[in-house]
Each structure stands twice: as C-alpha cells, then as structure tokens.
Amino acid sequence: MIVLTARYTIQPGQIEKVLEHLREMAERVKADEPACTMYRVHKPVDTEDMLLLYEVYVDDKALEAHKLTPQFKEIIEGKVVPLLVKREREVFDLVLDAAE
C-alpha cells in the first residue's frame, strides 16, 4: 500500500474554487481508478487557505498511473495548480498495520 499526502497552500480567496475542482477529481477517481482505495481532502481547523489531500493506492504502479490520467492532467495540473501558492507532496510505504 502506498499513501500520498499533498499539502496545498491556496491563493487567498480561491479555496472554494479549489474544493469544487477537487470534488470533481474525487468523483472521477472513484469512477475510473479502482486501484485508488481512498481519496480524501482535509482542511485544517485553524487555517483558511490550506488543504491536505490523503490518497491511498494499492501499489506504486497505481500511483504512477494516477498521475498519467486525463483527470489528473485536466483538473489537478490544469485547474488546481494555477490557484496554489505552494504544493508539497510526500509518498509513504506501509510498514506497520495495527489491523493485522
């Protein structure tokens, strides 16, 4: 299992537009990417212009395939990234699972 976190710092006044685009992205990921088992967007309780995306993929190939999808290119690269001040991403590999 691979986890991607992405921290978006958004231009002032643009958070609703970014959330609108991410809602569309989430719908398309759910419909077209079965190897993405979780796609969530979180907003800090004390910060207005920041979001944290939390995505889970079955393996690193699924994550790489996600980056090549038409929806990633159209929505994330084409619509979301231009509204950001900064985008920080980290990829994690599962090393311990308390559910096992």
Side-chain angles (χ1 to χ4, degrees):
M1 177 186 335
I2 297 293
V3 170
L4 168 74
T5 62
R7 182 181 304 266
Y8 290 174
T9 303
I10 302 159
Q11 295 174 14
Q14 297 298 320
I15 193 158
E16 289 306 319
K17 189 174 279 190
V18 170
L19 284 169
E20 178 183 323
H21 296 317
L22 291 175
R23 283 184 195 97
E24 179 185 359
M25 183 66 180
E27 290 173 12
R28 292 186 54 188
V29 166
K30 184 176 180 179
D32 300 335
E33 297 184 56
C36 177
T37 61
M38 184 179 298
Y39 189 94
R40 293 190 174 157
V41 178
H42 302 267
K43 183 178 176 301
V45 295
D46 60 351
T47 305
E48 288 300 315
D49 295 322
M50 184 180 293
L51 294 171
L52 175 74
L53 281 70
Y54 183 86
E55 306 170 26
V56 179
Y57 297 87
V58 296
D59 57 24
D60 57 341
K61 291 179 181 136
L63 173 57
E64 291 307 312
H66 168 73
K67 295 176 189 176
L68 299 174
T69 62
Q71 60 260 23
F72 185 83
K73 294 181 183 304
E74 174 192 342
I75 299 169
I76 301 301
E77 292 178 348
K79 296 177 181 177
V80 172
V81 170
L83 299 175
L84 303 181
V85 173
K86 182 168 53 170
R87 177 172 71 157
E88 302 169 273
R89 295 173 285 176
E90 291 185 291
V91 177
F92 299 88
D93 196 8
L94 180 66
V95 295
L96 177 68
D97 186 348
E100 294 180 344

